[in-house]
C-alpha cells in the first residue's frame, strides 16, 4: 500500500521492486488525492480529500474491527492501548468516512478488507503523510493500522517511510535530530550513552534536546537564535512561506552557509564555505530507506577552493582554537562505531564486501537486520520487550480552509526528473522538463475558460504567483497541483502555508487554499 | 500502467469501428479523475482482442492510423509502441496511409507458372508500379493465397463501411475490375475435390450446403460428438490413440498422445486451438474443408474441447480466407443457437464455446507457438520449446493445438471406430490424407487418398501433366518441403516412406512442374518467400534468409563470389546454421527446398 | 529473528549433475546450461543474454549440442536437467556460432561492440566479408533499387515485401543515427536486435514501454510508435536501454560526442562506485570518469537495489557537479 506516495515518480527504482511484485501477483493499493503514475498501476486507487488521511485510516480501522478482521493474537500479545484506540475509531462508520474523505464507502471497505486479509502487507508513505500540520498524527494513524492487523515485524510486512533524500536516514542515524545522539541514543534520558560520548570527546554532553527547524525559525523570530550555520540546506527556497523565511535568514547576526551551490540561502550568508559533492567528490557513507549503510566514494576532484565537509569542520575547529586532528572518513566512521552500538559491526571492509549493511548490526559477525520489530511476536515478555502502543489520534483537517474566496485545494509534489528546489537537477537537460505550471482538471479548465499553457494568476491567503496552466486528467475538479522545483520561475512556496507540526517541524506543503484568475480577466477589472 | 500517448486522436469513424469489436467505451469522465479506480489488470483474453481491433481499424480506414492505434492501445491497456510493433508484423496491416482498395496478386511458385505474370502485367498497365496509389487503387504482389488449384489468384483488400475482402481465382482482369468497383459479378467456382469414391474427410464437400446445420446433420453431422459424449472424455482420447492418428500439420506427432498430455495437466483452464493458418505455399486443402464442410470443424473442435477438458476453443484462421471466415462464423453462430456450443453442449452438461480469430498475413503464425503469441495480441514470434503447448500453450495454459485436417479426422475416427480407421492406409500411416495437387497438371484440386497410395496414382487421378509435357520436378510439402524428380513418382504417400526417402509430405503439397518451368526462378521465389516471412527474432533465420537469397541472385545473375561451387558451398553453410540454430521450424526448413533442388535435381550442375 | 514471524527462507537447493564436454558438472536445479558451462569454466559466447533480463535466446550464438535433441539448443535459456549430455565444442556448434557472428558482422556495424564480441569473432574465425561486404568499411546507405517496394527506409519497411537484393554487396541494417534528445542517441546501424533494450524499457525493469520491436524479418527494428522522436514518446530517459545495449547502438550523448571528436579514451577512464545523490532508495552508481569529468553512469547488474537499472536523475543528473 502506497499512502501519500507517488513512488513511480519520486522513488523510481524502489517502484521497480513493486512492479516485480505486481508481476508475481501482489496487489497494490494507492491512497493519493491525485490519480498519479503510481495510482495507474494500482489494483485499487483511493482519491481522498487532501488532509483526510486520519479519517480514512480510522474508517478502515473500524471496518477491520467490526468485520472481525483484527489480528487479536497480535493485539493481545504485542500491543497496548487497544481499547482506547477502538473507542476512538468506533465513530468512524463507512458513511462518515465517505463524507469526510470523499471516497465511496464500498471502496473504503475494499481497502480495509484487502489490507487486513493479506497474508503479508507493506505500508509505505512519504510526504503526502508528513507534509501536514499534523504529520506525526498521520503517521501514527497508519502505524495503528499495522498494529491492528499484525502487518509488522515479519518478513514481507511492515511500515516504511520512503526517504526523499539519499541520506536523510543517515542524518538521523548520525544524530541530526534535536533529541538524539548518534545511533538514536536519547540525549536527555540515556546517561550511559552520554557518558560514552563524554569519555570519547572529553567534553560534557548537555542532557538537553535542541531545536528542530521550525523551532529554529520561531527562535529567530523571537531573537533568541542569532547565528546560524547551514550545511547543505536551502531553507530560503524550501520553507513554506518563503517570504518570512528569507526575511529571518537575512537578518541574522551571523549566517554561515556550507554548500556546493550558491543557493538563495547562500546569497543571504555572511560567510560561504564551498563544499564538495558528497556522493561524487568525497569518501563516506550514507544510509538508504531500508537502513542500509552504503559507501560513497570520491570519483572527482572538487573544483576550485571547494573542500570536503570533514576538512572544513576540522579547519573551522582549528581556527577556533581546538586542535582536532584531520580525520579520514573511515576514522570518523570508526569513532562512530565505537559509540553507537547499532553500527558497531559495520566496518568499511564489511560494507564494501557485502554491498552495504542494514542496521542494527551490533558485531562483526552480524549479517545486518532485514526487518525490524520481530521481537513483538515473541511470547516471552523478556524477549518481546516494550509493547507497541496504539495511539488514538484525532482527525484534523488542513489549516488553510477552502472558502468561496479560495475555492481550490492546492497540493504540491514532485516530478520524476527534478529534485526538490531544483538546484541539482536544473543543470542537466531533461527532455521531460516542462517547467512549473499549475495543474488543473479538465473540468476546472472549462469552468475557468483557460487553455493549456495559458498563464494565470494563482492566489492564496499569503501570496500570489503567475504560472502557466497544464490540464491533467489525473486531477479531479477542485484539486490543483504544483511542484516547487522551479522557484526561480514560479515561487510556489509564496502560496503554501507554514502551519507546522509541532513535533516533526514539517509544514503543511500539501494543503493550501487558492483561487485561479485569468490574467486578461484581471486586466479587464483594473 | 502509466501509458503515454501521442496527441493523435481517433476519428469518430475509427472509434466506432474499434468499439464495435471491443464493446462500449466507458472512458474516464471528461471532467478529470474519478474518486476511486479499480484496475482490472487486463486479463490475457482481453489483450487477445488486439488483432480483431486492428482488423476492424484496417477494414474501416484502409490503414492503421496513429489516432486509431492510440484508441486501441488505450482501450486494451497495451503500450502504443508495443501495439505498433504488432501492427507492423503483419502484411495485411499498413501503418502508412493507403488507398481503400488494394489488389494483392499472388506470384508464388504455383501461380507464377499459371498466369500470375499476365495478371501482374495487366495490373501494372492499368494501375502502375506496385505500392503506388493510382486513383484510389494500389496493387502489390503477394505470397501464396491458398487458391493454387484455381491459379492465378488475387486477394482484394477493400476498406470502408460495408466493404469486405474478396478473393478471386482464377483471376481475370474483368473480375478484378468488378470487385474493386464493388460489383457482385463474382461467382465462386465449385470446390475441386476429385472423384466422390474414396472421399471420407471430403464426403460432404460440394455435396451439402455449407451454410446449413440441418444439411450437415442430415449427412451424419454431430454423430461423432454424440458418440464421444456417450463414451466419455478418456475413451474418446483412447479412440484417437488407437486409431494411430498422426498430426497432418507436418510434424506427424500422434494426436491421441498430445490430447492425453493436455487432458492430464492439472493447471486450469485448458484451451483447444485449431491451427487454420494455412499458408504453406501450395497448400489449400484446409480451406477446401472449411469452405465445403465448416460444421465438421466446429464439431471436431467441440470433441477436442470435451476430451481435453477445455471450455474454450479458438480457430485461428488465415487472414486471406474471407469465404472460410464467413462460413465458419455462420457455422459457429448456428451451432450456438442450436445448443451444439455453449453452456450445456447437446444437453450433456459440459460447456464449450468457440471463437474465430483471423491472422493478418504472416506465414510464421502457422507455427504453433507463434500462433499463440499472435492470438494473444503479440507479435507472432515463435517461442522457444520446451516448454511445450501441452503444458504452456495459449495464455501460458495447457493447450491442445491441431490443424484442420487432423481435427476432422477425429470425426471420422469416432464415426467408424478406431479399429476400422486404423485399417485404412498403412500400419505406420493410418487413415486417408488430403493432397493439394496443383501446377502443371490437368485437374488440379484437393484429393483424398488412403495413406500409402503411390504418388503416381495421385497424379493419375489429377489427370497427369498436359499432353506433350513431361514432369521436370515436383515440390512436395511446400516451400518448407523439398523437390523430387520425375524418377521418384513411385513414392508411397506415407510418413514412413517419405522419411525413408528423405522427403517430407509436410502439408500435403504436390506442386507439379513440367519442363517449361524455370527452376532457378522458382528457387528465387522460395528464397524471397522466406526472406519476407522470417519473423526476424533469431539471427540464423533473420540474416540467413537474406544471405541465401543474395547468393541465389548472384548465381542467377552469374555474378558469383568465387566459383559457382563456392556459392553452392556457401548456400550449404547458410542452410546448415539455419537448420541447426534457428528457433523454429521456419528457419529450420528455410533452406530445405533449395538444398533439395541442389542435391536431388542437381539444379546448378552445369551452371545456373 | 523471531520464529513467529515469517522469515525469508531460501528454498532448499537441490543439486543436479549433468555432463558437459564429457565432464560431470554439478549445478543448482532450475539453472541453465549456460550456468553449467560457467561452472565448468567453459567460455560461452552470448550477445542477447543478460543476467538481469529474461532470456530471449534470439541471437543463438550460445547454442550447444544436446544429446537427443534434433537441433542445437540455446545454452542461455535451456534449463539444466539431471543427466543431460552437452557438447560445446563440436564442429556443428562451432559452425553455428561462426555463422551467427558472420551474419551479424556482415550486416551490423560492430565497431563499438563489446571487447568480448570481437574476441569471439577471432576465436570462431568468423569472416563477415565472405558475403560480399567489407565489414571494416562503413556499410553503404540502403540503395534504391527496382522500385518493387514503397520505401527503402528501414523505419518504414513493409512486412512481407523487400527490394530485390543488390548482388554487388551484402545487405546491412545501415541507417542514419537518431539524435532527437539532449541525453542519449540511437544508432540502429549498430543494432543486432538482441531485444535487451525493449526488455529493460518494458517488463523486465522500467515498465515504460517506449520502444518495441517493429516490422519483421531482416527489416525488424527497434521503434517508437510510428517512429516518433523520443521526445514525443513515452520515454522517461532512465537510460536502462543504454545500460544493457551490447553494441553501443545506444549511447550517452557525451560518449557519442567524445567519440566523434576523438577524445573518448577508455584507457584513461576510471570507474568509481558510489551512491546516487538523489532520493533515499540508495542506488549504486558506477561513475565513469575521464579527465575529472563524468562521461557515463552505469549500475552493476548484480546490485540488490538496482539490478543494474537507474532513473533519469541517477543516470543523467550529474551535470551539477563542477557546474558552480
Amino acid at each position: 500500500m502506497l499512502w501519500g506516495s507517488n513512488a513511480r515518480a519520486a522513488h523510481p527504482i524502489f517502484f521497480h521492486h513493486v512492479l516485480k511484485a505486481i508481476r508475481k501477483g501482489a496487489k497494490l493499493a494507492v491512497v493519493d488525492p491525485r490519480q498519479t503514475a503510481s495510482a495507474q498501476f494500482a489494483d485499487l486507487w483511493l482519491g481522498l480529500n487532501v488532509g483526510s488521511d486520519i479519517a480514512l485510516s480510522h474508517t478502515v480501522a473500524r471496518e477491520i474491527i467490526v468485520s472481525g478482521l483484527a489480528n487479536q493474537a497480535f493485539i493481545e500479545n504485542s500491543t497496548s492501548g487497544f481499547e482506547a484506540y477502538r473507542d476512538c475509531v468506533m465513530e468512524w462508520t463507512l458513511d462518515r468516512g465517505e463524507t469526510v474523505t470523499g471516497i465511496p464507502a464500498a471502496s473504503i471497505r475494499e481497502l480495509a478488507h484487502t489490507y487486513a486479509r493479506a497474508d503479508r502487507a507493506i505500508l509505505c508513505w512519504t510526504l503526502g503523510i508528513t507534509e501536514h500540520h499534523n504529520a506525526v498524527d498521520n503517521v501514527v494513524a497508519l502505524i495503528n493500522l499495522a498494529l491492528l492487523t499484525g502487518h509488522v515485524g515479519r518478513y514481507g510486512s511492515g511500515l516504511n517511510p520512503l526517504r526523499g533524500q539519499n541520506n536523510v536516514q543517515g542524518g538521523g542515524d548520525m544524530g541530526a535530530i534535536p533529541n538524539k545522539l548518534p545511533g538514536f541514543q536519547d540525549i536527555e534520558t540515556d546517561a550511559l550513552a552520554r557518558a560514552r560520548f563524554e569519555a570519547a570527546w572529553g567534553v560534557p554532553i548537555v542532557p538537553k534536546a535542541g531545536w528542530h527547524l521550525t523551532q529554529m525559525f520561531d527562535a529567530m523570530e523571537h531573537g533568541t537564535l542569532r547565528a546560524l550555520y547551514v550545511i547543505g540546506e536551502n531553507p530560503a527556497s524550501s520553507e513554506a512561506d518563503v517570504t518570512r523565511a528569507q526575511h529571518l535568514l537575512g537578518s541574522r547576526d551571523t549566517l554561515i552557509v556550507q554548500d556546493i551551490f550558491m543557493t538563495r540561502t547562500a546569497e543571504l550568508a555572511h560567510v560561504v564555505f564551498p563544499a564538495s559533492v558528497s556522493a561524487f567528490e568525497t569518501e563516506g557513507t550514507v544510509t538508504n530507506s531500508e537502513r542500509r549503510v552504503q559507501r560513497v566514494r570520491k570519483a572527482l576532484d572538487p573544483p576550485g577552493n571547494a573542500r570536503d565537509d570533514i576538512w572544513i569542520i576540522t579547519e573551522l575547529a582549528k581556527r577556533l582554537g581546538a586542535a582536532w586532528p584531520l580525520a579520514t572518513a573511515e576514522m570518523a566512521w570508526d569513532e562512530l562505531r565505537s559509540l553507537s552500538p547499532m553500527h558497531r559491526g559495520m566496518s568499511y571492509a564489511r560494507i564494501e564486501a557485502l554491498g552495504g549493511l542494514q542496521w542494527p548490526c551490533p558485531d562483526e559477525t552480524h549479517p545486518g537486520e532485514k526487518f525490524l520489530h520481530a521481537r513483538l511476536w515473541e511470547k516471552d515478555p523478556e524477549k518481546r520487550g516494550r509493547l507497541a502502543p496504539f495511539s488514538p489520534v484525532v482527525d484534523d483537517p488542513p489549516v488553510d480552509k477552502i472558502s468561496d474566496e479560495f475555492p481550490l485545494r492546492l497540493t504540491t509534489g514532485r516530478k520524476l526528473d527534478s529534485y526538490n528546489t531544483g538546484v541539482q537537477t536544473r543543470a542537466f537537460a531533461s527532455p521531460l522538463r516542462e517547467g512549473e505550471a499549475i495543474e488543473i482538471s479538465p473540468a476546472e479548465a472549462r469552468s475557468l475558460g483557460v487553455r493549456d499553457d495559458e498563464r494565470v494568476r494563482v492566489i492564496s491567503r499569503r501570496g500570489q504567483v503567475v504560472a502557466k496552466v497544464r490540464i491533467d486528467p489525473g486531477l479531479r475538479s477542485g484539486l490543483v497541483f504544483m511542484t516547487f522545483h522551479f522557484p526561480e520561475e514560479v515561487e510556489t512556496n509564496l502560496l503554501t502555508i507554514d502551519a507546522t507540526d509541532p513535533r516533526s517541524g514539517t509544514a503543511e506543503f500539501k494543503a493550501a487554499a487558492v483561487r485561479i484568475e485569468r490574467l486578461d480577466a484581471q486586466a479587464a477589472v483594473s | 500502467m502509466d501509458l503515454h500517448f501521442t496527441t493523435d486522436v481517433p476519428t469518430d469513424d475509427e472509434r466506432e469501428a474499434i468499439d464495435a469489436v471491443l464493446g462500449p467505451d466507458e472512458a474516464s469522465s471528461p471532467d478529470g479523475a474519478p474518486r476511486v479506480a479499480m484496475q482490472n489488470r487486463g486479463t490475457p483474453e482481453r489483450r487477445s482482442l488486439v488483432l480483431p481491433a486492428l482488423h476492424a481499424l484496417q477494414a474501416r480506414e484502409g490503414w492503421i492510423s496513429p489516432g486509431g492505434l492510440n484508441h486501441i492501445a488505450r482501450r486494451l491497456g497495451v503500450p502504443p509502441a508495443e501495439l505498433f510493433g504488432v501492427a507492423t508484423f503483419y502484411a495485411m496491416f499498413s501503418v502508412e496511409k493507403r488507398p481503400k482498395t488494394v489488389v494483392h496478386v499472388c506470384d508464388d511458385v504455383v501461380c507464377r507458372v499459371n498466369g500470375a505474370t499476365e495478371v501482374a502485367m495487366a495490373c501494372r498497365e492499368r494501375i502502375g508500379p506496385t505500392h503506388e496509389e493510382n486513383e484510389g487503387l494500389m496493387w502489390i504482389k503477394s505470397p501464396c493465397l491458398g487458391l493454387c488449384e484455381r491459379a492465378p489468384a488475387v486477394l482484394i483488400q477493400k476498406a470502408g463501411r460495408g466493404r469486405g475482402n474478396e478473393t478471386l481465382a482464377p483471376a481475370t482482369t474483368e473480375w478484378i475490375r468488378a470487385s474493386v468497383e464493388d460489383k457482385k459479378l463474382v461467382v465462386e467456382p465449385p470446390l475441386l475435390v476429385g472423384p466422390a469414391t474414396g472421399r471420407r474427410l471430403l464426403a460432404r464437400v460440394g455435396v451439402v450446403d455449407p451454410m446449413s446445420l440441418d444439411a450437415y446433420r442430415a449427412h451424419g453431422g454431430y454423430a461423432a460428438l454424440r458418440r464421444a459424449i456417450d463414451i466419455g472424455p478418456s475413451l474418446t482420447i483412447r479412440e484417437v490413440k488407437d486409431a494411430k492418428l498422426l498430426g497432418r500439420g507436418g510434424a506427424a506427432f500422434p494426436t491421441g498422445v498430445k490430447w492425453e498430455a493436455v487432458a492430464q495437466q492439472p493447471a486450469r483452464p485448458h484451451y483447444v486451438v485449431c491451427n487454420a493458418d494455412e499458408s504453406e505455399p501450395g497448400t489449400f486443402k484446409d480451406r477446401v474443408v472449411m469452405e465445403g464442410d465448416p460444421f465438421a470443424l466446429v464439431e471436431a473442435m467441440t470433441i477436442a474441447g470435451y476430451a481435453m477438458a477445455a471450455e474454450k476453443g479458438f480457430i485461428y484462421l488465415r487472414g486471406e480466407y474471407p469465404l472460410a471466415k464467413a462460413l465458419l462464423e455462420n457455422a459457429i453462430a448456428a451451432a450456438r443457437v442450436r445448443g451444439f456450443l455453449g453452456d450445456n453442449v447437446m444437453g450433456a452438461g459440459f460447456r464449450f464455446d468457440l471463437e474465430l480469430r483471423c491472422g493478418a498475413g504472416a506465414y510464421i503464425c502457422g507455427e504453433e507457438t507463434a500462433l499463440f503469441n499472435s492470438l494473444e495480441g503479440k507479435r507472432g514470434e515463435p517461442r522457444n520449446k520446451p516448454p511445450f503447448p501441452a503444458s504452456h500453450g495459449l495464455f501460458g495454459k495447457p493447450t491442445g493445438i491441431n490443424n484442420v485436417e487432423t481435427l476432422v479426422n477425429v470425426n471420422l475416427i469416432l464415426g467408424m471406430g478406431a479399429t476400422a480407421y486404423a485399417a485404412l492406409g498403412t500400419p505406420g500411416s493410418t487413415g486417408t490424407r488430403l493432397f493439394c495437387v496443383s501446377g502443371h497438371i490437368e485437374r488440379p484440386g484437393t484429393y483424398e487418398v488412403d495413406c500409402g497410395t503411390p504418388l503416381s496414382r495421385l497424379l493419375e487421378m489429377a489427370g497427369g501433366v498436359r499432353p506433350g509435357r513431361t514432369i521436370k520436378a515436383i515440390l512436395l510439402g511446400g516451400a518448407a518441403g523439398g523437390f523430387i524428380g520425375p524418377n521418384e513418382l513411385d513414392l508411397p504417400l506415407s510418413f514412413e516412406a517419405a522419411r525413408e526417402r528423405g522427403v517430407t509430405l509436410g502439408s500435403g503439397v504436390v506442386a507439379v512442374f513440367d519442363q517449361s518451368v524455370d527452376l532457378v526462378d522458382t528457387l528465387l521465389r522460395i528464397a524471397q518467400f522466406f526472406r519476407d516471412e522470417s519473423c526476424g527474432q533469431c539471427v540464423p533465420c533473420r540474416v540467413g534468409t537474406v544471405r541465401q537469397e543474395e547468393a541465389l541472385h548472384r548465381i542467377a545473375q552469374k555474378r558469383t563470389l568465387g566459383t559457382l561451387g563456392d556459392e553452392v558451398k556457401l548456400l550449404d553453410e547458410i542452410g546448415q546454421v539455419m537448420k541447426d540454430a534457428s528457433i523454429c521450424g521456419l528457419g529450420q526448413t528455410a533452406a530445405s527446398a533449395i538444398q533439395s533442388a541442389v542435391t536431388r535435381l542437381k539444379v546448378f550442375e552445369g551452371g545456373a | 529473528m523471531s520464529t513467529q514471524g515469517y522469515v525469508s527462507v531460501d528454498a532448499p537447493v537441490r543439486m543436479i549433475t549433468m555432463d558437459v564436454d564429457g565432464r560431470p558438472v554439478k549445478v543448482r536445479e532450475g539453472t541453465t546450461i549456460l550456468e553449467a558451462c560457467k561452472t565448468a569454466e567453459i567460455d560461452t559466447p552470448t550477445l542477447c543474454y543478460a543476467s538481469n533480463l529474461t532470456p530471449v535466446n534470439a541471437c543463438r550464438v550460445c547454442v550447444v549440442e544436446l544429446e537427443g535433441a534434433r537441433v542445437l539448443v540455446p545454452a542461455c535459456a535451456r534449463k539444466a536437467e539431471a543427466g543431460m549430455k552437452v557438447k560445446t565444442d563440436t564442429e556443428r556448434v562451432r559452425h553455428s556460432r561462426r555463422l551467427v557472428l558472420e551474419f551479424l558482422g556482415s550486416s551490423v556495424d560492430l565497431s563499438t561492440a563489446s571487447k568480448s564480441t570481437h574476441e569471439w569473432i577471432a576465436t570462431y574465425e568468423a569472416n563477415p566479408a565472405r558475403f560480399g561486404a567489407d565489414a571494416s568499411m562503413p556499410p553503404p546507405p540502403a540503395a534504391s533499387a527496382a522500385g518493387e517496394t514503397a520505401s527503402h527506409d528501414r523505419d518504414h519497411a513493409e512486412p512481407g515485401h523487400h527490394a530485390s537484393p543488390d548482388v554487388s554487396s551484402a545487405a546491412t541494417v545501415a541507417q542514419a543515427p537518431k539524435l532527437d534528445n539532449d541525453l542519449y542517441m540511437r544508432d540502429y546501424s549498430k543494432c543486432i536486435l538482441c531485444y535487451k533494450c525493449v526488455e529493460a524499457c518494458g517488463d523486465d525493469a522500467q515498465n515504460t514501454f517506449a520502444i518495441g520491436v517493429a516490422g519483421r524479418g531482416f527489416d525488424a527494428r527497434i521503434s517508437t510508435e510510428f517512429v516518433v522522436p523520443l521526445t514525443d514518446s513515452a520515454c522517461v530517459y532512465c537510460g536502462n536501454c543504454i545500460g544493457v545495449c551490447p553494441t553501443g547502438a545506444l549511447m550517452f550523448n557525451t560518449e557519442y560526442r567524445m567519440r566523434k571528436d576523438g577524445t573518448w579514451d577508455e584507457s584513461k577512464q576510471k570507474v568509481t562506485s558510489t551512491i546516487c545523490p538523489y532520493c533515499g532508495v540508495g542506488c549504486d552508481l558506477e561513475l565513469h570518469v575521464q579527465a575529472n569529468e563524468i562521461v557515463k553512469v552505469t549500475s552493476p547488474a548484480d546490485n540488490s537495489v538496482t539490478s543494474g537499472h537507474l532513473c533519469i536523475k541517477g543516470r543523467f543528473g550529474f551535470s551539477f557537479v563542477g557546474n558552480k
Side-chain angles (χ1 to χ4, degrees), chain A residues 20 144 252 286 289 470:
Chain A
K20 271 186 209 160
N144 287 338
R252 291 311 90 197
V286 292
S289 249
R470 194 176 302 134

Side-chain angles (χ1 to χ4, degrees), chain A residues 55 59 99 117 131 139 149 201 236 243 260 275 341 345 443:
Chain A
T59 310
T99 309
R117 288 173 193 272
E131 284 183 350
V139 172
T149 51
W201 291 350
T243 317
I260 57 171

Side-chain angles (χ1 to χ4, degrees), chain A residues 144-433:
Chain A
N144 287 338
L145 291 181
L147 297 180
L148 186 61
T149 51
H151 286 320
V152 68
R154 309 206 273 198
Y155 180 76
S157 276
L159 293 150
N160 198 339
L162 301 174
R163 302 304 199 175
Q165 294 156 26
N166 81 333
N167 200 25
V168 71
Q169 180 69 50
D173 294 359
M174 295 306 110
I177 300 178
N179 61 339
K180 301 287 184 197
L181 288 160
F184 299 101
Q185 303 174 84
D186 198 288
I187 199 165
E188 291 179 339
T189 60
D190 193 340
L192 275 174
R194 275 203 311 275
R196 267 202 307 276
F197 281 88
E198 283 169 351
W201 291 350
V203 288
I205 304 288
V206 186
K208 183 164 177 292
W211 287 321
H212 58 59
L213 189 57
T214 311
Q215 289 164 331
M216 288 188 208
F217 273 94
D218 289 344
M220 285 188 244
E221 195 143 50
H222 299 133
T224 42
L225 177 60
R226 291 174 13 230
L228 206 61
Y229 181 4
V230 178
I231 305 180
E233 281 277 347
N234 183 18
S237 285
S238 62
E239 281 303 281
D241 198 347
V242 285
T243 317
R244 170 178 176 256
Q246 287 170 9
H247 164 73
L248 290 173
L249 289 166
S251 55
R252 291 311 90 197
D253 296 352
T254 307
L255 177 64
I256 305 169
V257 171
Q258 180 168 322
D259 207 305
I260 57 171
F261 294 105
M262 195 63 194
T263 61
R264 287 293 293 275
T265 312
E267 284 167 8
L268 300 171
H270 301 96
V271 182
V272 177
F273 296 146
S276 321
V277 179
S278 65
F280 297 158
E281 294 168 349
T282 71
E283 297 289 328
T285 63
V286 292
T287 312
N288 76 355
S289 249
E290 49 171 358
R291 297 168 282 104
R292 189 187 300 273
V293 176
Q294 302 165 296
R295 279 279 278 120
V296 294
R297 295 179 185 82
K298 180 180 163 123
L300 300 168
D301 293 325
N305 289 324
R307 296 285 187 273
D308 74 43
D309 294 339
I310 294 181
W311 187 93
I312 294 171
I313 291 168
T314 312
E315 198 63 19
L316 189 62
K318 195 156 90 190
R319 310 265 172 110
L320 291 171
W324 294 358
L326 182 60
T328 63
E330 186 170 9
M331 286 158 68
W333 179 253
D334 284 339
E335 184 194 76
L336 169 87
R337 290 171 58 212
S338 72
L339 295 171
S340 167
M342 62 186 252
H343 291 106
R344 194 152 293 151
M346 299 178 171
S347 66
Y348 264 30
R350 289 193 76 208
I351 293 172
E352 177 100 40
L354 299 170
L357 270 165
Q358 287 170 287
W359 62 249
C361 178
D363 62 66
E364 294 209 21
T365 62
H366 194 283
E369 209 64 78
K370 265 202 162 81
F371 59 95
L372 299 179
H373 311 303
R375 64 171 179 85
L376 290 173
W377 290 89
E378 296 288 352
K379 292 276 176 281
D380 178 355
E382 193 87 336
K383 287 187 187 158
R384 188 172 58 224
R386 193 173 77 100
L387 296 175
F390 279 100
S391 313
V393 288
V394 178
D395 168 50
D396 186 9
V399 174
D400 206 17
K401 297 278 182 279
I402 300 292
S403 66
D404 289 346
E405 201 186 345
F406 299 101
L408 300 173
R409 177 58 79 202
L410 169 70
T411 193
T412 63
R414 275 129 182 99
K415 296 278 177 183
L416 171 66
D417 61 333
S418 291
Y419 186 66
N420 293 347
T421 57
V423 286
Q424 278 167 250
T425 44
R426 206 171 299 145
F428 83 103
S430 167
L432 297 173
R433 197 166 299 141

Side-chain angles (χ1 to χ4, degrees), chain B residues 488-545:
Chain B
E488 300 182 81
L489 302 186
D490 61 327
L491 173 75
L493 297 169
S494 68
F495 294 113
E496 60 274 22
R499 200 174 303 124
E500 196 182 304
R501 297 271 190 100
V503 297
T504 171
L505 303 180
S507 55
V509 173
V510 179
V512 181
F513 300 99
D514 66 25
Q515 77 269 31
S516 68
V517 74
D518 176 354
L519 269 182
V520 173
D521 174 68
T522 304
L523 296 187
L524 286 175
R525 185 63 186 90
I526 290 173
Q528 181 199 333
F529 176 80
F530 284 110
R531 154 70 170 88
D532 278 336
E533 298 298 335
S534 166
C535 79
Q537 191 182 194
C538 71
V539 176
C541 175
R542 179 175 79 234
V543 187
T545 54

Side-chain angles (χ1 to χ4, degrees), chain C residues 95-151:
Chain C
H95 176 79
S96 277
R97 290 181 179 179
R98 176 167 61 88
L99 267 284
V100 163
L101 292 166
E102 287 175 345
F103 282 170
L104 289 175
S106 62
S107 57
V108 183
D109 173 4
L110 296 179
S111 58
T112 52
S114 66
K115 211 174 106 215
S116 40
T117 308
H118 293 282
E119 286 165 5
W120 291 321
I121 287 175
T123 306
Y124 290 94
E125 297 168 342
N127 171 22
R130 64 203 286 245
F131 305 107
D134 183 349
S136 64
M137 295 285 288
S144 174
E148 285 289 327
T149 58
S151 169

Side-chain angles (χ1 to χ4, degrees), chain C residues 50-53 243-244 286 298-309:
Chain C
S51 61
N52 56 349
L53 302 172
V244 296
E286 292 169 329
T298 55
S299 185
D302 60 356
N303 182 258
S304 68
V305 175
T306 66
S307 300
H309 305 303

Side-chain angles (χ1 to χ4, degrees), chain B residues 205-235:
Chain B
V205 174
V207 175
V208 304
D209 175 4
M211 291 292 284
S212 165
L213 176 54
D214 290 333
Y216 177 67
R217 294 194 69 197
H219 285 80
Y222 280 108
L225 176 58
R226 170 54 65 199
R227 169 129 194 276
I229 290 167
D230 288 346
I231 61 178
S234 47
L235 283 181

Side-chain angles (χ1 to χ4, degrees), chain B residues 263-275:
Chain B
Q264 286 170 351
Q265 291 293 324
R268 286 290 185 278
H270 292 182
Y271 291 99
V272 290
V273 175
C274 170
N275 183 347

